[in-house]
Amino acid sequence: MSRRVVRQSKFRHVFGQPVKADQMYEDIRVSKVTWDSSFCAVNPKFVAIIVESGGGGAFIVLPLAKTGRVDKNHPLVTGHTAPVLDIDWCPHNDNVIASASEDTTVMVWQIPDYVPVRNLTEPVVTLEGHSKRVGIIAWHPTARNVLLSAGSDNLVMLWNVGTGEMLLALPDVHADLIYNVAWNRNGSLLVTTCKDKKVRVIDPRKRQVVAEKAKAHDGARPVRAVFTADGKIFTTGFSKMSERQLGLWDLEMDTSNGVLLPFYDPDSSIVYLCGKGDSSIRYFEITDEAPYVHYLSTYSSKEPQRGMGFMPKRGLDVSKCEIARFFKLHERKCEPIVMTVPRKSDLFQDDLYPDTPGPEPALEADEWLAGKDAEPILISLRDGYVPVKNRELKVVRKNILDNKPPPGPRRSQSSSDANLSRSALEEVLEEIRALKETVRAQEKRISDLENKLCQFANGTD
């Protein structure tokens, strides 16, 4: 099947262009761990990159404006005891990021707006439940504080980060290693790919597989899948001869061992395909007209990519008709690549920028778990997007004594004994609460003093 450009498309002239050298991020020791994740996560405030680290796992967080050569002593996020495999920014708080590691844990971090003076070693919360390495994490698109993790124990788990508790697990769904997990637009369904060559659509709250495709691709290499805006599924995989394939139609692209990472923009219905080890980005437009997926163009460069970050739409420069921005990882640097649509007018281009998901969640975690769905809360980019100030992630762990056991036989107990034990428990809990308040006050005081030190170091009053 030959590649055909959609004739009537506003995106047919999209082109990619790397930034100038002084706008790159230089001297970064990008991780060499063997794992098919993007190694990079971006939002309108920060770029985070998984890096090499002795004695554990680490990633670096840089303010977007801090381009150029990175100081070798720049603080890292270093709480894991084994290599970090995946990172993901919270879509509802630009200062919160989650990390997954070979040490079997998921950690959630609060990143300050200022550059800290030393490594960040204490996460806001640590999520423990997997028995093997955790290689995939993904925040829920509309529900506050809901985080997904998938590990080499073939388990998918959902967490409420706000309480530190596991909401549910999917233990008997996958018979082999999970390659990829993605949410649909409103977070009611998941799509997963697995080493058993099956693509599954899962309703996580019902713990049911609602659709399944066996041997979506015949090759043994990992398959990836994402939902499109209208609920269809786009897959990338390989033939038996290691020829790259796209799952919506039988187009064989080329022969390579590098896994294709699909990045889908629901606002434009463009999917960008970045192969690990490739030096190009291919992009296609998905429409309702045959052949449904239309080749647009290819951005080519000289150096291969080790990983790739994809900026959310609200972080783009609408004044320059920028419709996508990638953060390409080299061995020692990070290079932004800007995708733009040429336009002669300086006015806001409504057709390029429909209202897009903003930073506010549409649901609370308990509402989603109870069965409620909601579309993302949209914002306009007409006047550009200004990131909100640092919002603290608060973790309030539930009192285990509030989880009453189910009714059943139990030994008899006098009412006076019950009242006495209850009273003693309440006294202990009250003392624990008081101690926690004291600790929180001390931690806040320490944080305030550290902020003042940073301000003095930066030459401010």
Side-chain angles (χ1 to χ4, degrees), residues 151-155 173-179 193-197 200:
S152 295
D153 50 8
N154 307 338
L155 274 178
V173 175
H174 300 92
D176 213 326
L177 180 67
I178 301 166
Y179 285 145
T193 60
C194 181
K195 195 174 181 180
D196 63 8
K197 298 186 180 181
R200 297 172 173 88

Side-chain angles (χ1 to χ4, degrees), residues 396-402 422-441:
V396 182
R397 295 188 179 273
K398 288 189 176 180
N399 179 2
I400 59 172
L401 297 176
D402 290 340
R422 183 67 182 176
S423 174
L425 281 173
E426 288 177 349
E427 287 182 9
V428 172
L429 288 172
E430 185 59 38
E431 185 174 354
I432 289 173
R433 280 193 287 268
L435 288 170
K436 285 183 175 180
E437 286 297 327
T438 302
V439 170
R440 275 195 286 267

Side-chain angles (χ1 to χ4, degrees), residues 65 110 166 192 213 241 266 290 316 364 393 405 428:
Q110 182 89 34
M166 185 180 71
T192 69
K213 173 67 175 175
M241 303 300 293
L316 303 181
E364 298 296 334
L393 171 63
V428 172

